[in-house]
Amino acid sequence: MNFLERYNLPNPVCMYKWSWSTVRLMEGTTNSCHRVVGDRITPETYENFHNTPSKLKQRKKMLDGQWPGEGCEYCRDLEYAGAESDRLDLNVDTHLAPPELEKNPKAINLTPRLVEVYFNNLCNLGCIYCSAEYSTVWEVENKKFGDSHTAFGKPIEWLDEGKEQYPKMLEAHWKWLEKNAHEIHNYNVLGGEPFFQPELEQNIDFFETTPAPNLEFSVFSNLKVPNKKLRRMLDKLTSLKEHNHIRSMHIVCSLDCWGPQQEYIRTGLNLKNWEENFLTILRDYPNISLSIHGTLINLTMQTLPDLCERITNWKKIRDFDHSIGFGLGHPEMDAGIFPIGFFDKELSKAIANTTSKNLKSWIDGLRKKINAQPHNNEDIIKLKDRLDEFDKRRNTNWRELWPWLDKYECK
Protein backbone atom coordinates (compact mmCIF):
# COMPACT_ATOMS: atom_id res chain seq x y z
CA MET A 1 0.00 0.00 0.00
CA ASN A 2 1.47 3.36 -0.98
CA PHE A 3 1.55 6.55 1.06
CA LEU A 4 -1.64 8.07 -0.38
CA GLU A 5 -3.66 4.84 -0.10
CA ARG A 6 -2.51 4.15 3.46
CA TYR A 7 -3.75 7.52 4.75
CA ASN A 8 -6.50 8.19 2.17
CA LEU A 9 -4.76 11.32 0.88
CA PRO A 10 -5.47 12.95 -2.52
CA ASN A 11 -3.12 13.72 -5.39
CA PRO A 12 -0.83 15.64 -5.58
CA VAL A 13 0.11 15.03 -1.91
CA CYS A 14 3.82 14.26 -1.77
CA MET A 15 5.80 12.55 0.95
CA TYR A 16 8.65 14.98 0.35
CA LYS A 17 6.43 17.78 1.66
CA TRP A 18 5.23 15.68 4.57
CA SER A 19 8.39 13.92 5.73
CA TRP A 20 11.52 15.44 4.17
CA SER A 21 13.44 18.56 5.17
CA THR A 22 16.71 19.80 3.77
CA VAL A 23 18.59 22.45 5.77
CA ARG A 24 21.46 24.52 4.39
CA LEU A 25 23.22 25.90 7.42
CA MET A 26 25.51 28.42 5.76
CA GLU A 27 22.79 29.50 3.37
CA GLY A 28 20.17 29.75 6.12
CA THR A 29 17.40 28.02 4.15
CA THR A 30 15.21 24.94 4.28
CA ASN A 31 13.09 23.17 1.68
CA SER A 32 11.17 19.93 1.31
CA CYS A 33 13.11 18.61 -1.69
CA HIS A 34 15.85 19.76 -4.08
CA ARG A 35 13.37 20.97 -6.69
CA VAL A 36 11.49 23.61 -4.71
CA VAL A 37 12.05 27.14 -3.47
CA GLY A 38 13.70 27.39 -0.05
CA ASP A 39 12.42 29.19 3.06
CA ARG A 40 14.62 31.41 5.18
CA ILE A 41 15.59 30.16 8.64
CA THR A 42 17.74 31.67 11.38
CA PRO A 43 19.38 30.26 14.50
CA GLU A 44 16.34 31.54 16.43
CA THR A 45 13.78 29.84 14.13
CA TYR A 46 15.83 26.75 13.34
CA GLU A 47 13.89 24.42 15.61
CA ASN A 48 10.78 24.76 13.43
CA PHE A 49 12.48 24.24 10.05
CA HIS A 50 10.12 21.41 9.08
CA ASN A 51 6.97 23.44 9.72
CA THR A 52 7.65 26.88 8.27
CA PRO A 53 4.57 28.94 7.28
CA SER A 54 5.32 28.26 3.61
CA LYS A 55 5.52 24.49 4.08
CA LEU A 56 2.25 24.47 6.03
CA LYS A 57 0.56 26.50 3.27
CA GLN A 58 1.81 24.12 0.58
CA ARG A 59 0.59 21.06 2.50
CA LYS A 60 -2.88 22.62 2.76
CA LYS A 61 -2.94 23.22 -1.00
CA MET A 62 -1.98 19.62 -1.71
CA LEU A 63 -4.72 18.34 0.62
CA ASP A 64 -7.12 20.46 -1.45
CA GLY A 65 -5.93 18.72 -4.63
CA GLN A 66 -3.76 21.58 -5.92
CA TRP A 67 -0.15 21.64 -7.09
CA PRO A 68 1.39 24.31 -4.83
CA GLY A 69 3.90 25.71 -7.34
CA GLU A 70 7.25 27.12 -6.14
CA GLY A 71 9.18 24.30 -7.81
CA CYS A 72 6.65 21.46 -7.67
CA GLU A 73 6.16 22.04 -11.39
CA TYR A 74 9.19 19.77 -11.87
CA CYS A 75 7.25 16.65 -10.83
CA ARG A 76 3.98 17.95 -12.28
CA ASP A 77 5.53 18.32 -15.74
CA LEU A 78 7.19 14.90 -15.56
CA GLU A 79 3.87 13.29 -14.68
CA TYR A 80 2.01 15.20 -17.39
CA ALA A 81 4.61 13.88 -19.89
CA GLY A 82 3.87 10.32 -18.73
CA ALA A 83 7.14 9.92 -16.83
CA GLU A 84 7.91 8.69 -13.32
CA SER A 85 8.45 11.70 -11.04
CA ASP A 86 10.38 12.01 -7.79
CA ARG A 87 7.02 12.37 -6.02
CA LEU A 88 5.63 9.12 -7.42
CA ASP A 89 8.90 7.33 -6.67
CA LEU A 90 8.91 8.34 -2.99
CA ASN A 91 5.17 7.75 -2.49
CA VAL A 92 5.40 4.03 -3.23
CA ASP A 93 5.46 3.04 0.45
CA THR A 94 4.95 4.48 3.93
CA HIS A 95 8.29 3.99 5.68
CA LEU A 96 8.85 7.74 6.04
CA ALA A 97 5.30 8.67 7.06
CA PRO A 98 5.17 11.18 9.95
CA PRO A 99 3.80 9.70 13.22
CA GLU A 100 1.10 12.39 13.48
CA LEU A 101 -0.83 10.79 10.59
CA GLU A 102 -1.70 7.76 12.71
CA LYS A 103 -4.03 9.96 14.78
CA ASN A 104 -4.96 12.52 12.14
CA PRO A 105 -4.29 11.76 8.44
CA LYS A 106 -4.97 15.43 7.61
CA ALA A 107 -2.37 16.78 10.06
CA ILE A 108 0.04 19.32 8.56
CA ASN A 109 2.24 20.17 11.56
CA LEU A 110 4.56 17.20 11.35
CA THR A 111 7.72 15.47 12.54
CA PRO A 112 10.39 15.05 9.83
CA ARG A 113 11.51 11.51 9.14
CA LEU A 114 14.25 12.35 6.65
CA VAL A 115 16.59 15.24 7.41
CA GLU A 116 19.51 16.21 5.26
CA VAL A 117 22.06 18.86 6.01
CA TYR A 118 24.42 20.92 3.89
CA PHE A 119 26.95 22.23 6.40
CA ASN A 120 28.80 24.70 4.18
CA ASN A 121 30.24 25.11 0.67
CA LEU A 122 33.75 23.75 1.31
CA CYS A 123 34.44 21.61 -1.76
CA ASN A 124 37.38 20.43 -3.86
CA LEU A 125 35.56 20.31 -7.24
CA GLY A 126 34.20 23.00 -9.54
CA CYS A 127 31.43 21.16 -11.43
CA ILE A 128 30.21 23.26 -14.35
CA TYR A 129 26.54 22.92 -13.34
CA CYS A 130 27.29 23.93 -9.74
CA SER A 131 27.84 27.36 -8.18
CA ALA A 132 29.46 29.22 -5.32
CA GLU A 133 26.67 28.23 -2.90
CA TYR A 134 28.00 24.67 -2.93
CA SER A 135 31.64 24.97 -3.94
CA THR A 136 34.52 27.06 -2.64
CA VAL A 137 36.27 26.39 -5.96
CA TRP A 138 33.44 28.30 -7.62
CA GLU A 139 33.50 30.98 -4.93
CA VAL A 140 37.22 31.66 -5.45
CA GLU A 141 36.79 31.67 -9.24
CA ASN A 142 33.87 34.08 -9.12
CA LYS A 143 35.76 36.54 -6.97
CA LYS A 144 38.84 36.24 -9.19
CA PHE A 145 37.00 36.70 -12.50
CA GLY A 146 34.48 39.24 -11.32
CA ASP A 147 31.29 37.18 -11.41
CA SER A 148 29.13 39.10 -8.96
CA HIS A 149 26.28 36.57 -8.68
CA THR A 150 25.79 32.92 -7.86
CA ALA A 151 23.92 30.56 -10.19
CA PHE A 152 20.58 31.35 -8.59
CA GLY A 153 20.90 35.12 -8.84
CA LYS A 154 22.06 35.89 -5.32
CA PRO A 155 24.90 38.41 -4.92
CA ILE A 156 28.24 36.83 -4.08
CA GLU A 157 28.42 38.96 -0.91
CA TRP A 158 25.56 36.86 0.42
CA LEU A 159 28.04 34.04 1.00
CA ASP A 160 30.06 36.20 3.39
CA GLU A 161 26.89 37.03 5.32
CA GLY A 162 26.06 33.33 5.57
CA LYS A 163 29.52 32.55 6.90
CA GLU A 164 29.09 35.11 9.66
CA GLN A 165 25.99 33.42 11.07
CA TYR A 166 27.24 29.87 10.35
CA PRO A 167 28.63 29.15 13.86
CA LYS A 168 25.24 29.92 15.42
CA MET A 169 23.41 27.88 12.78
CA LEU A 170 25.76 24.96 13.41
CA GLU A 171 25.12 25.19 17.14
CA ALA A 172 21.36 25.27 16.54
CA HIS A 173 21.63 22.16 14.36
CA TRP A 174 23.51 20.12 16.98
CA LYS A 175 20.94 21.16 19.62
CA TRP A 176 18.03 20.15 17.40
CA LEU A 177 19.68 16.86 16.50
CA GLU A 178 20.39 16.03 20.13
CA LYS A 179 16.67 16.33 20.90
CA ASN A 180 15.29 14.73 17.74
CA ALA A 181 17.77 12.20 16.35
CA HIS A 182 15.72 9.31 17.76
CA GLU A 183 12.74 10.38 15.58
CA ILE A 184 14.66 10.40 12.29
CA HIS A 185 14.73 7.39 9.96
CA ASN A 186 17.19 8.85 7.45
CA TYR A 187 19.91 11.45 7.98
CA ASN A 188 21.84 12.69 4.94
CA VAL A 189 25.01 14.78 4.89
CA LEU A 190 25.78 16.66 1.67
CA GLY A 191 28.13 19.43 0.63
CA GLY A 192 30.30 20.93 -0.61
CA GLU A 193 32.22 17.73 -0.14
CA PRO A 194 31.59 16.03 3.25
CA PHE A 195 34.86 14.04 3.24
CA PHE A 196 36.62 17.39 2.74
CA GLN A 197 34.78 19.04 5.64
CA PRO A 198 35.63 18.66 9.36
CA GLU A 199 31.90 18.72 10.17
CA LEU A 200 31.47 15.15 8.88
CA GLU A 201 33.86 13.82 11.49
CA GLN A 202 32.08 15.96 14.10
CA ASN A 203 28.83 14.32 13.00
CA ILE A 204 30.32 10.85 13.38
CA ASP A 205 31.52 11.82 16.86
CA PHE A 206 28.00 13.09 17.64
CA PHE A 207 26.46 9.68 16.97
CA GLU A 208 29.17 8.01 19.03
CA THR A 209 27.88 9.91 22.08
CA THR A 210 24.22 10.19 21.01
CA PRO A 211 23.10 6.84 19.59
CA ALA A 212 20.19 6.77 17.15
CA PRO A 213 19.72 3.03 16.51
CA ASN A 214 16.76 3.53 14.11
CA LEU A 215 18.63 5.91 11.81
CA GLU A 216 20.29 5.36 8.44
CA PHE A 217 23.28 7.69 8.07
CA SER A 218 24.02 8.64 4.45
CA VAL A 219 26.91 10.65 3.01
CA PHE A 220 26.83 12.14 -0.49
CA SER A 221 30.37 12.35 -1.83
CA ASN A 222 32.35 13.14 -4.98
CA LEU A 223 34.95 10.61 -3.68
CA LYS A 224 37.83 13.02 -4.21
CA VAL A 225 39.59 12.08 -0.99
CA PRO A 226 42.93 10.35 -0.32
CA ASN A 227 42.30 6.62 -0.07
CA LYS A 228 44.01 6.38 3.32
CA LYS A 229 41.75 9.09 4.78
CA LEU A 230 38.69 7.49 3.19
CA ARG A 231 39.47 4.16 4.86
CA ARG A 232 39.96 5.85 8.25
CA MET A 233 36.56 7.54 7.97
CA LEU A 234 34.87 4.37 6.74
CA ASP A 235 36.26 2.45 9.70
CA LYS A 236 34.68 5.00 12.07
CA LEU A 237 31.36 4.84 10.23
CA THR A 238 31.39 1.04 10.28
CA SER A 239 32.05 1.16 14.01
CA LEU A 240 28.87 3.20 14.56
CA LYS A 241 26.82 0.46 12.97
CA GLU A 242 28.64 -2.38 14.71
CA HIS A 243 27.93 -0.77 18.10
CA ASN A 244 24.26 -0.19 17.22
CA HIS A 245 24.63 3.59 17.35
CA ILE A 246 22.96 3.79 13.92
CA ARG A 247 20.80 1.33 11.97
CA SER A 248 22.80 1.40 8.75
CA MET A 249 25.35 3.32 6.72
CA HIS A 250 25.00 4.42 3.11
CA ILE A 251 27.26 6.37 0.72
CA VAL A 252 25.90 8.06 -2.40
CA CYS A 253 28.73 8.52 -4.89
CA SER A 254 28.32 11.31 -7.42
CA LEU A 255 29.09 10.49 -11.04
CA ASP A 256 27.29 11.60 -14.20
CA CYS A 257 29.02 10.01 -17.20
CA TRP A 258 32.53 8.77 -18.07
CA GLY A 259 35.82 9.75 -19.69
CA PRO A 260 37.42 13.16 -20.23
CA GLN A 261 33.94 14.64 -20.68
CA GLN A 262 33.18 13.82 -17.05
CA GLU A 263 36.50 15.27 -15.85
CA TYR A 264 35.65 18.49 -17.70
CA ILE A 265 32.09 18.62 -16.30
CA ARG A 266 33.25 17.84 -12.75
CA THR A 267 36.37 20.01 -12.89
CA GLY A 268 39.09 18.67 -10.61
CA LEU A 269 37.91 15.07 -10.74
CA ASN A 270 40.35 12.25 -11.52
CA LEU A 271 38.39 9.20 -12.64
CA LYS A 272 41.21 6.79 -11.84
CA ASN A 273 41.21 7.93 -8.21
CA TRP A 274 37.39 7.97 -8.14
CA GLU A 275 37.22 4.37 -9.28
CA GLU A 276 39.87 3.30 -6.75
CA ASN A 277 37.84 4.80 -3.91
CA PHE A 278 34.56 3.42 -5.19
CA LEU A 279 35.97 -0.10 -5.50
CA THR A 280 37.48 0.23 -2.02
CA ILE A 281 34.00 0.69 -0.56
CA LEU A 282 32.41 -1.87 -2.87
CA ARG A 283 34.93 -4.64 -2.08
CA ASP A 284 36.25 -3.93 1.40
CA TYR A 285 33.24 -2.48 3.26
CA PRO A 286 30.30 -4.82 2.59
CA ASN A 287 28.35 -3.42 5.57
CA ILE A 288 28.18 0.00 3.91
CA SER A 289 25.52 0.15 1.21
CA LEU A 290 26.32 2.12 -1.92
CA SER A 291 24.65 3.95 -4.76
CA ILE A 292 25.71 6.18 -7.64
CA HIS A 293 23.71 9.30 -8.45
CA GLY A 294 24.24 11.33 -11.59
CA THR A 295 23.18 14.76 -12.78
CA LEU A 296 21.75 14.79 -16.29
CA ILE A 297 22.66 17.72 -18.56
CA ASN A 298 23.07 17.88 -22.32
CA LEU A 299 26.86 17.42 -22.01
CA THR A 300 26.59 14.13 -20.07
CA MET A 301 24.54 12.42 -22.78
CA GLN A 302 27.46 11.39 -24.98
CA THR A 303 29.18 9.15 -22.42
CA LEU A 304 26.28 8.27 -20.10
CA PRO A 305 26.06 4.87 -21.89
CA ASP A 306 29.75 4.25 -21.09
CA LEU A 307 29.07 4.83 -17.39
CA CYS A 308 26.04 2.53 -17.48
CA GLU A 309 28.21 -0.21 -19.00
CA ARG A 310 30.86 0.18 -16.28
CA ILE A 311 28.22 0.12 -13.57
CA THR A 312 26.87 -3.15 -14.97
CA ASN A 313 30.38 -4.64 -14.57
CA TRP A 314 30.87 -3.20 -11.06
CA LYS A 315 27.57 -4.76 -9.99
CA LYS A 316 29.11 -8.18 -10.55
CA ILE A 317 31.08 -7.54 -7.33
CA ARG A 318 27.94 -6.65 -5.37
CA ASP A 319 24.69 -4.90 -6.17
CA PHE A 320 23.98 -1.19 -5.69
CA ASP A 321 21.57 1.42 -7.03
CA HIS A 322 22.14 3.88 -9.86
CA SER A 323 19.91 6.95 -10.14
CA ILE A 324 19.83 10.02 -12.40
CA GLY A 325 18.16 13.41 -12.02
CA PHE A 326 17.98 16.58 -14.08
CA GLY A 327 20.39 19.37 -13.21
CA LEU A 328 18.81 22.69 -12.21
CA GLY A 329 19.95 26.29 -12.21
CA HIS A 330 21.45 26.44 -15.71
CA PRO A 331 18.76 26.42 -18.45
CA GLU A 332 21.43 26.34 -21.16
CA MET A 333 22.55 22.91 -19.89
CA ASP A 334 19.07 21.38 -20.08
CA ALA A 335 18.97 18.44 -22.50
CA GLY A 336 15.52 19.56 -23.66
CA ILE A 337 16.80 22.68 -25.47
CA PHE A 338 17.79 20.55 -28.47
CA PRO A 339 15.29 19.31 -31.12
CA ILE A 340 12.93 16.45 -30.30
CA GLY A 341 14.71 13.11 -30.47
CA PHE A 342 18.18 14.67 -30.53
CA PHE A 343 19.48 12.46 -27.69
CA ASP A 344 17.29 9.39 -28.28
CA LYS A 345 20.20 7.31 -29.57
CA GLU A 346 22.33 7.99 -26.47
CA LEU A 347 19.44 7.35 -24.08
CA SER A 348 18.52 4.11 -25.87
CA LYS A 349 22.12 2.95 -25.57
CA ALA A 350 22.16 3.83 -21.86
CA ILE A 351 19.00 1.78 -21.38
CA ALA A 352 20.58 -1.14 -23.24
CA ASN A 353 23.73 -0.92 -21.11
CA THR A 354 21.97 -1.18 -17.73
CA THR A 355 20.51 -4.31 -16.16
CA SER A 356 18.21 -2.41 -13.78
CA LYS A 357 14.56 -2.53 -14.85
CA ASN A 358 13.80 0.47 -12.63
CA LEU A 359 16.58 2.53 -14.19
CA LYS A 360 15.52 1.53 -17.70
CA SER A 361 12.03 2.81 -16.93
CA TRP A 362 13.41 5.95 -15.28
CA ILE A 363 15.64 6.84 -18.24
CA ASP A 364 12.72 6.28 -20.59
CA GLY A 365 10.74 8.73 -18.48
CA LEU A 366 13.55 11.28 -18.67
CA ARG A 367 13.50 10.89 -22.45
CA LYS A 368 9.76 11.65 -22.53
CA LYS A 369 10.30 14.79 -20.46
CA ILE A 370 13.22 15.94 -22.66
CA ASN A 371 11.22 15.40 -25.85
CA ALA A 372 8.21 17.28 -24.45
CA GLN A 373 10.24 20.49 -24.16
CA PRO A 374 10.47 23.17 -26.86
CA HIS A 375 13.61 23.50 -28.97
CA ASN A 376 15.53 26.61 -27.81
CA ASN A 377 18.33 27.92 -30.05
CA GLU A 378 18.97 30.90 -27.77
CA ASP A 379 19.92 28.61 -24.91
CA ILE A 380 22.17 26.53 -27.20
CA ILE A 381 24.04 29.72 -28.12
CA LYS A 382 24.26 30.56 -24.39
CA LEU A 383 25.65 27.06 -23.74
CA LYS A 384 28.50 27.58 -26.21
CA ASP A 385 29.22 31.03 -24.73
CA ARG A 386 29.21 29.55 -21.24
CA LEU A 387 31.67 26.84 -22.23
CA ASP A 388 33.94 29.44 -23.85
CA GLU A 389 33.93 31.25 -20.50
CA PHE A 390 34.92 28.04 -18.69
CA ASP A 391 37.79 27.51 -21.12
CA LYS A 392 39.14 30.99 -20.43
CA ARG A 393 38.89 30.44 -16.70
CA ARG A 394 40.28 26.92 -16.61
CA ASN A 395 42.55 26.63 -19.68
CA THR A 396 40.43 23.84 -21.21
CA ASN A 397 38.99 23.17 -24.67
CA TRP A 398 35.39 21.98 -24.80
CA ARG A 399 35.37 21.71 -28.62
CA GLU A 400 37.73 18.72 -28.49
CA LEU A 401 35.32 16.85 -26.22
CA TRP A 402 31.98 17.76 -27.80
CA PRO A 403 32.66 18.20 -31.55
CA TRP A 404 28.96 17.55 -32.28
CA LEU A 405 28.10 20.69 -30.32
CA ASP A 406 30.83 22.72 -31.99
CA LYS A 407 29.42 21.77 -35.40
CA TYR A 408 25.79 22.29 -34.38
CA GLU A 409 24.27 25.24 -36.25
CA CYS A 410 21.44 27.17 -34.64
CA LYS A 411 18.94 27.93 -37.40
Side-chain angles (χ1 to χ4, degrees):
M1 185 175 291
N2 69 32
F3 177 55
L4 302 190
E5 292 172 342
R6 171 68 178 80
Y7 297 101
N8 194 27
L9 299 171
N11 276 311
V13 165
C14 171
M15 197 185 291
Y16 282 99
K17 280 283 192 293
W18 263 243
S19 303
W20 179 309
S21 269
T22 298
V23 289
R24 294 172 172 83
L25 299 184
M26 194 184 79
E27 185 175 319
T29 62
T30 179
N31 53 2
S32 51
C33 82
H34 296 174
R35 311 296 180 182
V36 301
V37 177
D39 301 331
R40 292 292 298 170
I41 51 174
T42 66
E44 293 73 28
T45 63
Y46 188 86
E47 187 168 351
N48 206 36
F49 64 77
H50 190 59
N51 296 296
T52 64
S54 176
K55 291 183 183 183
L56 296 178
K57 181 179 178 181
Q58 290 165 8
R59 289 171 193 154
K60 287 180 181 178
K61 282 189 174 182
M62 285 185 159
L63 286 174
D64 289 337
Q66 303 174 41
W67 286 95
E70 299 188 46
C72 288
E73 298 88 346
Y74 176 86
C75 282
R76 181 200 66 190
D77 293 347
L78 275 170
E79 292 176 27
Y80 285 177
E84 184 83 359
S85 70
D86 294 357
R87 180 187 81 96
L88 294 177
D89 185 55
L90 192 66
N91 278 358
V92 294
D93 58 37
T94 62
H95 74 287
L96 291 178
E100 290 81 2
L101 300 191
E102 295 302 322
K103 292 184 178 180
N104 178 14
K106 298 302 173 70
I108 60 170
N109 203 298
L110 307 166
T111 300
R113 290 302 203 186
L114 189 154
V115 173
E116 62 178 24
V117 56
Y118 291 75
F119 284 102
N120 55 60
N121 68 337
L122 184 60
C123 188
N124 48 13
L125 292 186
C127 304
I128 65 171
Y129 48 69
C130 195
S131 62
E133 289 101 317
Y134 305 109
S135 168
T136 43
V137 173
W138 264 97
E139 183 182 358
V140 170
E141 273 195 8
N142 283 3
K143 290 179 177 178
K144 178 179 179 181
F145 292 99
D147 190 342
S148 61
H149 289 80
T150 63
F152 296 96
K154 298 171 184 173
I156 198 71
E157 291 80 12
W158 163 84
L159 290 172
D160 296 326
E161 296 172 7
K163 289 175 182 178
E164 287 182 9
Q165 77 161 0
Y166 178 69
K168 291 184 178 179
M169 290 293 288
L170 185 60
E171 181 182 2
H173 176 70
W174 295 133
K175 286 182 179 179
W176 184 91
L177 197 61
E178 187 172 359
K179 290 194 297 183
N180 296 281
H182 64 285
E183 296 280 3
I184 304 172
H185 288 178
N186 295 73
Y187 179 75
N188 301 344
V189 176
L190 300 92
E193 170 47 43
F195 283 111
F196 198 55
Q197 298 175 342
E199 287 85 351
L200 176 59
E201 196 147 12
Q202 293 169 19
N203 222 142
I204 296 171
D205 293 341
F206 172 89
F207 287 120
E208 284 182 348
T209 58
T210 311
N214 295 320
L215 175 146
E216 178 175 90
F217 187 6
S218 297
V219 178
F220 289 63
S221 174
N222 63 35
L223 292 189
K224 185 180 179 181
V225 56
N227 190 263
K228 185 176 181 180
K229 179 181 179 181
L230 177 68
R231 288 180 178 274
R232 179 177 64 82
M233 299 288 281
L234 295 177
D235 289 341
K236 293 190 70 171
L237 289 166
T238 301
S239 178
L240 288 178
K241 183 178 184 299
E242 290 174 347
H243 290 87
N244 202 34
H245 285 218
I246 59 173
R247 181 181 84 249
S248 58
M249 182 64 219
H250 184 73
I251 296 180
V252 181
C253 309
S254 300
L255 203 64
D256 317 312
C257 57
W258 195 256
Q261 291 83 0
Q262 177 67 125
E263 293 180 341
Y264 183 105
I265 292 167
R266 299 181 67 80
T267 305
L269 180 68
N270 182 301
L271 281 173
K272 181 179 179 181
N273 293 342
W274 189 98
E275 186 172 22
E276 178 190 10
N277 284 336
F278 180 77
L279 292 177
T280 291
I281 308 170
L282 192 66
R283 290 170 172 159
D284 298 345
Y285 293 87
N287 290 331
I288 296 178
S289 62
L290 270 171
S291 61
I292 291 176
H293 180 74
T295 297
L296 187 75
I297 61 173
N298 42 45
L299 299 177
T300 64
M301 293 295 199
Q302 181 179 346
T303 57
L304 172 62
D306 299 332
L307 174 61
C308 290
E309 184 176 20
R310 282 181 172 268
I311 287 174
T312 295
N313 289 326
W314 291 333
K315 283 188 172 188
K316 294 175 182 177
I317 300 173
R318 68 175 165 111
D319 199 22
F320 57 89
D321 289 331
H322 177 203
S323 59
I324 305 170
F326 286 113
L328 297 177
H330 294 282
E332 73 278 6
M333 296 182 189
D334 194 315
I337 65 176
F338 288 88
I340 293 173
F342 191 83
F343 291 115
D344 281 0
K345 179 180 178 181
E346 288 79 6
L347 290 169
S348 294
K349 190 174 181 182
I351 290 172
N353 286 355
T354 182
T355 57
S356 167
K357 291 183 179 179
N358 288 338
L359 186 60
K360 288 177 185 287
S361 175
W362 189 263
I363 294 175
D364 188 56
L366 296 178
R367 173 166 52 189
K368 291 176 181 176
K369 173 65 166 58
I370 290 168
N371 288 336
Q373 294 178 226
H375 177 204
N376 191 324
N377 276 328
E378 290 184 4
D379 277 341
I380 297 173
I381 293 170
K382 289 178 183 178
L383 173 64
K384 292 186 178 185
D385 290 342
R386 186 72 165 149
L387 294 174
D388 286 339
E389 180 185 343
F390 288 136
D391 286 351
K392 290 178 182 178
R393 284 182 172 210
R394 301 173 177 181
N395 193 29
T396 50
N397 187 348
W398 68 265
R399 287 175 170 81
E400 292 181 350
L401 300 175
W402 292 279
W404 61 265
L405 177 59
D406 186 29
K407 296 175 183 176
Y408 184 88
E409 295 184 8
C410 297
K411 299 177 181 179

